[in-house]
Amino acid sequence: MSIVILGVFAADCAFRGQRLPSMGETVLGEGFALGPGGKGSNQAVAASRAGGDVHFVTRLGRDIFADMARDVWGQAGVTPHVTEDADSYTGAAFIYVNADSGDNAIIVAPGAGGQLSPADIDAHAALIGGAAVFVTQLEQPMEAAHRALQLARDGGARTILNPAPAAEIPDAMLALCDVITPNESEAEILTGIAVASVDDAKRAADALLDRGVGAAIITLGENGALYRDRDTTLHVAAIRAGAVVETTGAGDAFNGGFAAALARGDSPADAVRFGNATAALSVTRAGAAASMPDGHEIVALLSRQG
Ligand code: RIB
Ligand code: NA
């Protein structure tokens, strides 16, 4: 059962330090790493490593970061469907990682991925229409995501929208989502409800159900994740798999693991647990795509939880 993911690749330039500089200031960093990122690509790598048959639709420039993208997909077993864009650059991200907490702040320039158009989507209509599970995010233009969700829905796929980075989303597009997966701040931007507790997350999920999504999963960082549809509510506590090194891509790990589990037929509840464990392992390692665990590690972590 194939998983088709639409999104952006970005080369992550990750700086570790004690704090961000203010404008006009220079601070010394404590470390630097260059590695593969981009939300869509990270989700594709996570889903493939977790055991899924994953196809990734994107646009790349013609530069060394495009080579990095092809390398990471090759290693992870992701099948790429790339439009090359000689007039733009491959996406890149500036990532500040707090050296103590592992938390991050990101500026992502999607470059060629930001040029993905409905016409690019139509060029992959058969692939998207034939997916068992379709996943996208919001690093490429909204119109491209909307068109792809429509094709996926028409073809009978389970559709997942990870609304990151946060943006306002038209109701017509939300109605095409079987599952939406915001984090706390994205849920607040979508619903106007500040999410500081599991109860808040339930109310934000209800607001999203009212706007037409089939189910909402609000990821809650240290508080795990809340799944809610019209019949079921499930709160899955966060799992600790070791010391937190870097949280970049943790949401992507969740989405990729969740998609892989759904595609092989897990119930939504089991898929949420699998995504949660995928994210738990990813934060114990540096980098975004580079930190995605293999399926057997996820299974082992879940079996240790009992
Ligand atoms: O979700 C994490 C990702 O966001 C990073 O890899 C960065 O590239 C940005 O897209
Ligand atoms: Na990580």
Side-chain angles (χ1 to χ4, degrees), residues 195-210:
V195 178
S197 68
V198 174
D199 274 341
D200 296 337
K202 285 181 188 162
R203 281 188 287 119
D206 284 342
L208 291 165
L209 293 173
D210 285 345

Side-chain angles (χ1 to χ4, degrees), residues 87-264:
D87 299 328
S88 189
Y89 54 90
T90 301
F94 159 86
I95 303 187
Y96 161 70
V97 180
N98 182 277
D100 297 328
S101 68
D103 291 335
N104 64 62
I106 300 176
I107 298 179
V108 58
Q115 306 295 318
L116 277 160
S117 67
D120 290 324
I121 303 309
D122 288 343
H124 300 291
L127 177 77
I128 294 168
V133 172
F134 172 79
V135 187
T136 193
Q137 326 72 31
L138 297 176
E139 284 184 334
Q140 75 291 315
M142 187 78 71
E143 307 75 57
H146 193 153
R147 178 82 184 131
L149 284 164
Q150 183 71 60
L151 291 176
R153 167 62 61 85
D154 292 347
R158 303 279 283 276
T159 56
I160 303 170
L161 174 63
N162 174 227
E168 284 179 27
I169 301 172
D171 282 356
M173 187 165 147
L174 289 176
L176 297 171
C177 300
D178 291 315
V179 186
I180 191 166
T181 60
N183 65 17
E184 295 115 311
S185 62
E186 290 151 2
E188 176 171 356
I189 287 165
L190 284 170
T191 65
I193 298 167
V195 178
S197 68
V198 174
D199 274 341
D200 296 337
K202 285 181 188 162
R203 281 188 287 119
D206 284 342
L208 291 165
L209 293 173
D210 285 345
R211 289 182 62 192
V213 304
I217 300 173
I218 320 266
T219 56
L220 300 167
E222 291 165 356
N223 288 319
L226 184 275
Y227 172 91
R228 191 153 162 107
D229 63 22
R230 282 182 181 71
D231 309 312
T232 316
T233 299
L234 172 77
H235 175 227
V236 178
I239 308 176
R240 225 180 138 76
V244 175
V245 173
E246 183 180 345
T247 61
T248 313
D252 302 328
F254 178 88
N255 280 278
F258 177 75
L262 266 195
R264 64 157 187 247

